[in-house]
Amino acid sequence: MKNFIEVRNVFFKYGESEESSEEKYVLDGINLNIHKGEFVAAVGHNGSGKSTLAKHFNSIYLPTTGDVYVDGINTKDDERLFDIRKKVGLVLQNPDNQIVAGIVEDDVAFGCENLGIAPREIRERVYNALEAVGMYEYRKHSPEKLSGGQKQRVAIAGIIAMEPECIVLDEPTAMLDPQGRQEVISTVMKLNRELGITVILITHYMEEAVLADRVVMLNSGKIILEGTPKEVFSQVELLKKHRLDVPQATELIYQLRGCGYDLPPTVLNEEECVDALMQILKK
Amino acid sequence: MVRDVTLGQFMPGHSLIHKLDARSKILLLIAYIVFIFLSENYFSLALITVASLAVILLTKINFKFYLKSLKVILFVIVFTGILNIFYGSGTVLYEWGFITITEGGINNAIFVIIRIAVLVMISSVLTFTTSPSDLTDAIEKLLKPLSVFHIKVHEIAMMMTIALRFIPVFLEETDKIMNAQKARGADFESGNVFQRIKALIPVLIPLFVSSFRCANDLATAMECRCYNGGNNRTRMKVMKFSLADLFGLMFSLLVFAGVILLNLYLPAVVR
Amino acid sequence: MSVIKAQNLTLVYGKGTSFQKTALSNVNFEIEQGEFVGLIGHTGSGKSTLVQLLNGLLKPTEGTVYLNGKNIWEEPKKIREVRFKAGMVFQYPEYQLFEETVYKDIAYGPKNMGLSEDETDKRVRSAAEFVGLKRELLYKSPFDLSGGEKRRAAIAGVIAMDPDVLILDEPTAGLDPLGRDVLLSQIQNYHKTRKNTIIFVSHSMEDIARISDRILVMNHGEKLLFDTTQNVFAKAEELEKVGLRIPQITKIMRMLKKRGINVNTNILTIEQAFNEIINYLGT
């Protein structure tokens, strides 16, 4: 499979002045490849470097040393900055602070307007993007009247309208209630499955991470675990050591396995858990 | 609650006036204001007043909203009206001590009251029937020629857009922070002016911090969406003059011509 | 005598105008001294309105709040004292920090109460200890702390007022799992030591199940349920109807029961589930 994003031996620290030389690296030697159409979740606690990494995918931050390539373009290449940002869109955590205009459709159009696209096409793209996130009927509303989940979907639509190949979401659900989280995650899943958009989801909710094709776990600026959700969540011990959440279903099976019961190594949701338990309880 | 305050007085609708291009509305408004002040006798003043009322009727917005906007400056109208009674020339109608009321004074008072009232109501037509985003767009377009003098017209319009977008956000934030500090015993309601200002510090500092955070996020979000100032920027909503604008222009030109003719052929009032 | 009693609490915004909106209607309940009450309900159910009525930040249109048997609005001029007795920690409380040092910020509440220097100092130090803020942090600017530390400093600012009732509105929102676990156990520990009453608003059913004695469920501005944690989570269908869930572990036990395994479904934690299953297998 073709690598869409390549992170090669990236180190990053804030500031380049002399005095900050002893400050520690926020990213400490990251190597990561992301394929086209993949859905990757990056997890880790606050300060693990996951948000800093997210901002490397579209040249908001540049590596202190090392390189990031997006579709073969080095993110340090100034000339092609807009090409990179057209390919990789970024959605931030706070739903209020990333909406620019006072009307939903105007905001979604903002990116396309910056790209100098013809008005007719902008309208088409804006409507398609709003349809894709299920916010079409709200196109004339003002953002402050929307719920958190709706605002976040508008922000996603603003990126989708630019027709990116990849969308990076930096803890998009951290400030939302369960319903808003559900709305955002199912929207993201839909974009990935139906439109084939590559998704990089930064989150600390494990129930979101289990939906991904691949989970990358960061700690102190390093990738410490990488694999399918099944592989990653089988490492309950390691997850707990790094104080990450383990779904209750996973943890229960893990504990029972510890007592010698014959159970599968990983279950990710309640259905799998009940199925597994039935095997031993029926006897 | 602060967040209940509605900002901007835009009232969506489908009237002829709503359909006018925002640029036409701004330019015509300026012309109306000029002609309100150019009318020199009761006939021309009546004409422009009646024309303005016709426009107001055409907006299909309840007249009580226009009265409401008048109410806000009712004091100013009454005050300047009364003041004007004492200035003027012509026949003395009443004299008591140092107070003299002349025919010109009465005329002045009536003129000033009607002019301000019509001015406020016709200005409300613009704000009632034009959305804030259309307004900023129109201002950007109209000021475009100024960029010859290196005035950053696009940036100014962008700042207006962002300000309009974030005023409600900050009002809500203020509300939240005030409540949080009240829960810790802050007292915003008693004490003298200095004590009250001091009591606001616990609100203002968090508000500054959060506005910086917000600006930072917004700047990143705009960068992510390839914002690069006004260069090569297109707009989704293209402003177009339509038949409605032509109609509006014709109507207004007739009114203005009428005002000029009435001014020319009928005597100006004694002032 | 109950520490808090709500009688026919009703709040209507903009009464008599076209914007009239009933935020809360006819809510009645009593909370006993020393109880740990979980408050749940989806966004817009009236939770936030309710807690703001309890400490006098909002005034009811109808009905009465009794704090220690006294109508809190009996003397409107003394409403500040009510706020000291019913301490309120808002969502994202770190946004209210403003002083030069953490110490001064925590001391803001006690100072407003008119306490002496000595007493204030004692309060600040013990509050900081409850939330696990190290001593050297007290003399730092609150803006230099990490996200989790800021949150804890802000909570200390309310704890320092030594309230009889502590109301926490989603205190763990936006924290990572590590920060959340630490904060939850600190709150539990504070509750055990101080033996005061706590009202805890949360969207996380797992957290609510772990720490509450009783749960108050709000829906559309009305009280839906107010019962022991076990009894509330036994009504899964009712909760689902109003957009709420039950903890995953409780759901697993209920699913087992449905499939013919005769286990106890009054299960709220992984530990309980683990024991129940071991027991079942043993018999």
Side-chain angles (χ1 to χ4, degrees):
Chain A
M1 233 190 295
K2 198 184 151 213
N3 284 337
F4 180 63
I5 293 180
E6 282 183 44
V7 181
R8 282 193 210 151
N9 213 18
V10 164
F11 290 81
F12 177 81
K13 62 181 172 188
Y14 289 99
E16 281 155 50
S17 57
E18 301 284 309
E19 54 195 308
S20 66
S21 59
E22 64 248 60
E23 234 173 88
K24 73 173 179 121
Y25 283 97
V26 186
L27 295 182
D28 197 1
I30 299 272
N31 283 292
L32 181 67
N33 292 327
I34 287 162
H35 309 304
K36 205 147 197 167
E38 213 183 358
F39 176 5
V40 178
V43 300
H45 57 73
N46 291 349
S48 61
K50 59 187 195 302
S51 290
T52 310
L53 180 62
K55 294 197 169 88
H56 274 79
F57 296 132
N58 70 342
S59 297
I60 297 293
Y61 290 163
L62 297 174
T64 310
T65 61
D67 293 291
V68 177
Y69 292 92
V70 172
D71 210 5
I73 311 167
N74 192 322
T75 56
K76 288 176 181 165
D77 189 347
D78 254 354
E79 309 263 292
R80 307 204 53 190
L81 184 64
F82 287 158
D83 287 333
I84 292 166
R85 292 196 178 147
K86 248 189 321 200
K87 285 175 194 288
V88 181
L90 177 63
V91 175
L92 306 171
Q93 185 188 83
N94 191 319
D96 265 317
N97 297 358
Q98 50 188 326
I99 295 180
V100 184
I103 295 175
V104 167
E105 60 175 6
D106 288 357
D107 184 72
V108 176
F110 181 75
C112 297
E113 293 178 337
N114 292 332
L115 295 176
I117 293 165
R120 250 236 173 90
E121 197 190 333
I122 298 183
R123 188 162 291 274
E124 201 172 300
R125 284 186 181 203
V126 166
Y127 285 176
N128 287 339
L130 283 168
E131 291 275 11
V133 302
M135 290 294 291
Y136 180 74
E137 57 198 293
Y138 294 91
R139 64 192 182 282
K140 301 276 184 200
H141 284 229
S142 74
E144 68 261 18
K145 300 260 159 69
L146 303 178
S147 74
Q150 291 174 326
K151 281 182 209 164
Q152 209 59 306
R153 276 147 68 203
V154 170
I156 293 174
I159 297 294
I160 296 300
M162 293 166 71
E163 298 184 345
E165 292 169 68
C166 172
I167 164 165
V168 182
L169 303 107
D170 186 6
E171 297 198 45
T173 57
M175 300 181 76
L176 306 182
D177 63 5
Q179 195 198 337
R181 261 157 57 191
Q182 186 55 48
E183 287 168 19
V184 169
I185 290 305
S186 46
T187 304
V188 170
M189 295 282 289
K190 191 178 143 205
L191 297 177
N192 178 249
R193 301 284 134 92
E194 289 173 20
L195 302 180
I197 295 172
T198 311
V199 170
I200 304 174
L201 174 69
I202 316 288
T203 183
H204 57 240
Y205 288 112
M206 294 303 153
E207 62 265 38
E208 293 170 6
V210 299
L211 301 170
D213 300 322
R214 187 151 59 109
V215 179
V216 175
M217 189 173 137
L218 280 100
N219 190 52
S220 321
K222 288 190 172 75
I223 293 177
I224 52 167
L225 195 58
E226 194 182 339
T228 62
K230 287 250 165 190
E231 286 161 6
V232 168
F233 284 97
S234 65
Q235 309 278 326
V236 175
E237 204 113 343
L238 188 69
L239 291 170
K240 296 208 119 191
K241 189 178 142 212
H242 291 286
R243 301 300 294 264
L244 282 167
D245 249 353
V246 181
Q248 288 187 322
T250 314
E251 173 140 21
L252 178 65
I253 296 295
Y254 170 77
Q255 287 191 7
L256 288 167
R257 266 171 68 87
C259 294
Y261 290 102
D262 181 28
L263 288 162
T266 3
V267 303
L268 296 177
N269 55 41
E270 50 256 37
E271 281 81 18
E272 286 180 19
C273 174
V274 171
D275 286 342
L277 287 174
M278 287 305 284
Q279 297 298 317
I280 58 166
L281 290 171
K282 255 194 311 203
K283 281 171 197 161
Chain B
M1 280 199 304
V2 186
R3 70 194 76 154
D4 281 345
V5 177
T6 39
L7 278 145
Q9 304 141 308
F10 174 51
M11 289 176 233
H14 298 284
S15 77
L16 186 67
I17 309 293
H18 282 88
K19 284 198 189 95
L20 288 181
D21 189 288
R23 288 169 298 177
S24 326
K25 279 191 264 189
I26 294 176
L27 293 176
L28 287 176
L29 172 65
I30 295 170
Y32 269 90
I33 293 172
V34 170
F35 278 92
I36 287 168
F37 284 93
L38 282 183
S39 38
E40 286 172 352
N41 56 39
Y42 281 108
F43 301 99
S44 49
L45 187 66
L47 177 62
I48 194 102
T49 307
V50 169
S52 303
L53 287 174
V55 171
I56 285 169
L57 279 179
L58 277 176
T59 62
K60 291 186 181 154
I61 290 170
N62 197 328
F63 194 68
K64 83 174 186 223
F65 290 108
Y66 292 97
L67 292 180
K68 252 189 194 164
S69 59
L70 271 185
K71 218 171 115 188
V72 180
I73 59 150
L74 190 65
F75 173 75
V76 179
I77 297 179
V78 172
F79 184 74
T80 43
I82 291 173
L83 212 66
N84 267 286
I85 293 180
F86 307 108
Y87 293 97
S89 54
T91 330
V92 175
L93 299 173
Y94 183 78
E95 209 166 354
W96 186 76
F98 61 92
I99 296 174
T100 33
I101 295 178
T102 60
E103 190 194 342
I106 298 284
N107 284 337
N108 275 338
I110 295 173
F111 260 76
V112 102
I113 288 172
I114 292 180
R115 276 173 175 170
I116 299 179
V118 174
L119 172 89
V120 168
M121 289 201 288
I122 196 86
S123 306
S124 301
V125 170
L126 178 68
T127 51
F128 285 176
T129 64
T130 320
S131 75
S133 67
D134 284 348
L135 262 185
T136 46
D137 282 358
I139 292 170
E140 179 176 357
K141 281 268 160 55
L142 290 173
L143 295 182
K144 198 88 209 174
L146 289 181
S147 44
V148 177
F149 306 109
H150 298 286
I151 293 173
K152 304 210 177 259
V153 176
H154 166 75
E155 279 73 4
I156 294 169
M158 196 65 197
M159 284 194 295
M160 280 166 55
T161 306
I162 292 174
L164 282 171
R165 156 81 184 95
F166 282 93
I167 286 169
V169 176
F170 282 122
L171 283 180
E172 199 180 320
E173 190 74 20
T174 311
D175 206 31
K176 274 190 206 157
I177 297 170
M178 277 180 97
N179 266 338
Q181 306 300 28
K182 267 197 222 163
R184 293 206 281 166
D187 184 0
F188 304 116
E189 276 112 40
S190 54
N192 60 35
V193 183
F194 292 106
Q195 282 164 326
R196 281 186 196 210
I197 291 172
K198 215 179 146 204
L200 280 178
I201 291 174
V203 177
L204 293 178
I205 291 176
L207 205 56
F208 271 123
V209 174
S210 89
S211 54
F212 279 119
R213 189 180 48 239
C214 178
N216 200 17
D217 277 0
L218 186 66
T220 308
M222 287 170 77
E223 264 188 74
C224 288
R225 294 209 259 159
C226 301
Y227 181 65
N228 188 28
N231 307 337
N232 304 323
R233 205 162 182 268
T234 49
R235 303 307 307 269
M236 173 172 73
K237 290 178 179 160
V238 187
M239 297 200 152
K240 263 202 311 238
F241 291 111
S242 64
L243 218 59
D245 295 291
L246 188 66
F247 177 76
L249 184 67
M250 303 290 276
F251 173 80
S252 305
L253 285 179
L254 280 175
V255 173
F256 301 153
V259 170
I260 293 170
L261 288 174
L262 289 170
N263 274 347
L264 281 178
Y265 291 101
L266 292 167
V269 290
V270 183
R271 308 301 287 272
Chain C
M1 189 180 63
S2 51
V3 58
I4 279 193
K5 185 175 165 194
Q7 206 172 47
N8 306 325
L9 268 191
T10 299
L11 185 81
V12 181
Y13 286 117
K15 204 169 185 175
T17 69
S18 53
F19 304 107
Q20 182 165 332
K21 189 176 161 262
T22 306
L24 212 62
S25 65
N26 201 24
V27 173
N28 291 284
F29 61 84
E30 284 184 50
I31 293 174
E32 300 301 322
Q33 157 62 34
E35 265 193 296
F36 200 122
V37 175
L39 176 52
I40 59 177
H42 63 82
T43 306
S45 61
K47 288 175 300 183
S48 300
T49 308
L50 177 62
V51 290
Q52 290 186 46
L53 281 168
L54 294 184
N55 81 336
L57 280 169
L58 291 173
K59 197 173 175 179
T61 335
E62 271 165 67
T64 322
V65 176
Y66 296 95
L67 183 65
N68 293 321
K70 207 177 141 210
N71 177 357
I72 62 168
W73 286 99
E74 197 174 277
E75 291 170 89
K77 289 212 163 134
K78 291 191 172 169
I79 197 67
R80 269 177 56 178
E81 277 161 41
V82 171
R83 293 177 192 154
F84 296 134
K85 279 185 198 142
M88 167 95 190
V89 177
F90 278 91
Q91 265 180 49
Y92 299 98
E94 59 272 28
Y95 292 168
Q96 75 195 36
L97 298 170
F98 72 99
E99 278 283 12
E100 292 153 60
T101 65
V102 175
Y103 183 97
K104 279 192 187 170
D105 208 286
I106 300 176
Y108 179 68
K111 281 236 171 89
N112 281 331
M113 294 170 82
L115 298 176
S116 68
E117 287 285 323
D118 279 358
E119 181 61 21
T120 302
D121 185 68
K122 232 165 68 191
R123 294 269 185 104
V124 171
R125 285 177 197 285
S126 94
E129 205 171 307
F130 271 126
V131 298
L133 279 181
K134 290 193 202 94
R135 189 159 299 170
E136 61 262 30
L137 290 184
L138 288 179
Y139 302 99
K140 271 190 161 181
S141 157
F143 301 108
D144 289 340
L145 303 185
S146 77
E149 287 166 344
K150 274 186 200 162
R151 175 77 52 97
R152 284 183 273 149
I155 294 174
V158 176
I159 287 181
M161 304 191 307
D162 201 16
D164 296 336
V165 181
L166 178 65
I167 305 167
L168 297 140
D169 191 356
E170 288 191 61
T172 58
L175 292 182
D176 64 8
L178 172 65
R180 187 198 60 208
D181 283 352
V182 172
L183 184 61
L184 276 183
S185 55
Q186 282 160 348
I187 292 169
Q188 269 179 307
N189 180 38
Y190 168 73
H191 177 63
K192 270 189 203 126
T193 320
R194 269 284 287 118
K195 297 194 171 51
N196 61 356
T197 311
I198 292 189
I199 299 175
F200 184 94
V201 184
S202 178
H203 282 301
S204 164
M205 298 304 146
E206 283 75 18
D207 291 354
I208 288 274
R210 210 163 91 191
I211 57 178
S212 321
D213 300 325
R214 283 205 290 166
I215 299 179
L216 175 59
V217 187
M218 295 294 296
N219 185 44
H220 291 308
E222 287 173 29
K223 179 182 86 176
L224 184 72
L225 292 168
F226 189 26
D227 208 337
T228 60
T229 307
Q230 289 194 342
N231 288 347
V232 166
F233 284 133
K235 294 180 180 152
E237 291 80 13
E238 222 167 309
L239 291 175
E240 262 158 36
K241 249 186 254 159
V242 299
L244 297 170
R245 303 175 302 116
I246 55 173
Q248 191 179 45
I249 201 75
T250 316
K251 194 168 176 191
I252 289 169
M253 298 310 273
R254 289 173 63 98
M255 284 164 79
L256 285 174
K257 179 112 180 187
K258 257 190 207 147
R259 289 175 63 171
I261 308 294
N262 193 21
V263 285
N264 179 6
T265 53
N266 273 340
I267 296 292
L268 298 172
T269 62
I270 296 172
E271 204 183 352
Q272 290 170 358
F274 177 79
N275 290 335
E276 179 66 21
I277 287 171
I278 297 283
N279 261 337
Y280 184 89
L281 288 168
T283 53

